[in-house]
Each structure stands twice: as structure tokens, then as C-alpha cells.
Amino acid sequence: MTDPIPLPAARRLAWCLWLAFLACYPLSQRMPPAWAWENGMLENIQVAMLLAGALWALLAWRRLRPGPAAVLAACAVPVWLLLAGRECSWGAVFLPPLGFDKDGPVYASRILWYRPLVGPFAGAVLGGLLLLAWRHRLGRLIKDLIVRRRFPWGILVVVVVVGYASTFAEGHLRPFTGFIFDQADAYEELAELVGYLARLAMQGSVLRELAIR
């Protein structure tokens, strides 16, 4: 009888991601602070990863079409692009910094003339994606993966936990908003990096399972 527990590769990925997450704190205490600056090395790597996720989803859409799996891949593309836009402060990082403080250069999206339009635009895009997902019954694809025990739950848990850790490091997680530790910015950027890696892994796992179903 074959092993009913699927996705051994996804399990290995989840364990690797957990190890990477656990390494974030000791690495953050030793890395140069400049790496975690706004528009610094870590953020540039994050943006590259997000754009790679969008390209990966686009290629999956071309490979899987026609069908609902292709629609799911297409829906992922604008999500990756919105995340990349957020990491770039919606374009503010391409302008000269407003100044410098102890955490490096300061960028602010509020100076952008189109900044008031970003929220409604992102909301409209996400609303359109939800409508598209409902129209093509994309929830059935995920439900099918869950029923067949092919959904990468382990990777999803990493995404959630790392998201909370990043929010904690930013000082936005209640009731720990006043908690501060050394190199918090570095820890936040490293945690976000692991979180984006986990999202890439989750996308790859789901699209792979849909391609061979």
C-alpha cells in the first residue's frame, strides 16, 4: 500500500523554511544594519523575488490554459505585482530620499501625486480577482487539493507565522507594540524574505499539483 501522505517535497520545503526562519534572529544581530535599510539590499532581493513570483505565475498560466488552473495562476500575477509595489513604496524609492535617520534613507509614498489612488486601485484589483475566482469556482480547486491531501499546509503555517513575526518586529502587533529589540529592522526584513520564499514555495506546490491532477 502506498503512503497516503502526499507532498514529501513540500514537507521538506516547510522544514527548510522553518530553519531559515529560526536563523533570522541570530543573523539579524550580526548583519550590517545597512542591508536592512529602506531600498537596501534585502528589500531589493525581496522585490526581485516578488517579480519572479509574478513571472512564474504568468508562465504557469500559459502552460495550464485553458482551464481553471490557468485562471488561478493568472490571479496570482497581480497579487505579486501589488506586493512588489508595496515594497517599493509605490515608486517612492525611485526618487531621491527625503532625508536620513538612524535607520538609513527615508522614503515616503505620501509625496507621490498618485498616492491617493493606490488604495482604491489595489482594492479594485483584488475585488476583480475575487469576482474572477468566484466565477470560475477556483475554490473547488483548493478544496480538491485538501480532500486529496495535496494541500501544502506546512508551508501555509510558515507564511502565517512569519507574517506575525514581521509585524511584531515592526512594532504593529498588539499587545507588543511597545516592545523593541536590537536590529529589529534587520529581523523584520529577514522574516519578510523568508515569508516571500514561503509564498513562492506554496505557489509552486499548488501549481505543480494542479498541473498533474
Side-chain angles (χ1 to χ4, degrees):
M1 182 176 179
T2 58
D3 182 4
I5 306 294
L7 294 180
R11 288 202 214 104
R12 289 193 294 270
L13 269 174
W15 280 113
C16 290
L17 290 166
W18 278 118
L19 290 174
F21 172 57
L22 293 175
C24 285
Y25 182 76
L27 285 176
S28 71
Q29 301 304 299
R30 291 167 175 78
M31 63 180 281
W35 290 11
W37 284 359
E38 187 83 8
N39 203 27
M41 185 185 73
L42 288 179
E43 282 205 351
N44 289 334
I45 294 174
Q46 291 169 10
V47 172
M49 289 172 56
L50 293 168
L51 295 177
L55 178 60
W56 188 359
L58 182 62
L59 294 176
W61 166 75
R62 293 186 61 185
R63 185 177 69 254
L64 296 172
R65 62 180 180 175
V71 178
L72 181 64
C75 286
V77 175
V79 175
W80 287 113
L81 295 178
L82 286 174
L83 289 171
R86 175 181 169 274
E87 286 297 334
C88 292
S89 296
W90 309 112
V93 297
F94 300 113
L95 301 175
L98 300 180
F100 291 82
D101 60 16
K102 63 181 180 62
D103 297 320
V106 177
Y107 298 91
S109 61
R110 66 176 181 275
I111 66 172
L112 303 172
W113 65 267
Y114 55 83
R115 182 62 181 88
L117 303 175
V118 170
F121 173 76
V125 170
L126 294 176
L129 294 178
L130 289 174
L131 181 61
L132 191 64
W134 174 81
R135 181 178 179 182
H136 289 270
R137 305 294 189 270
L138 298 186
R140 294 180 179 178
L141 294 179
I142 304 302
K143 180 180 178 180
D144 180 62
L145 292 181
I146 294 173
V147 169
R148 295 191 295 116
R149 303 177 70 183
R150 297 279 175 174
F151 189 79
W153 289 109
I155 297 176
L156 178 60
V157 173
V158 176
V159 171
V160 173
V161 172
V162 172
Y164 275 108
S166 176
T167 304
F168 166 75
E170 285 183 304
H172 296 158
L173 183 64
R174 296 181 179 179
F176 307 106
T177 52
F179 187 85
I180 299 175
F181 58 92
D182 292 338
Q183 295 277 66
D185 289 339
Y187 179 76
E188 175 202 342
E189 297 301 335
L190 286 171
E192 284 190 351
L193 190 65
V194 175
Y196 292 145
L197 275 172
R199 287 172 172 86
L200 283 170
M202 190 163 183
Q203 173 175 276
S205 179
V206 168
L207 292 179
R208 175 182 176 276
E209 289 299 326
L210 293 177
I212 63 176
R213 63 193 290 267

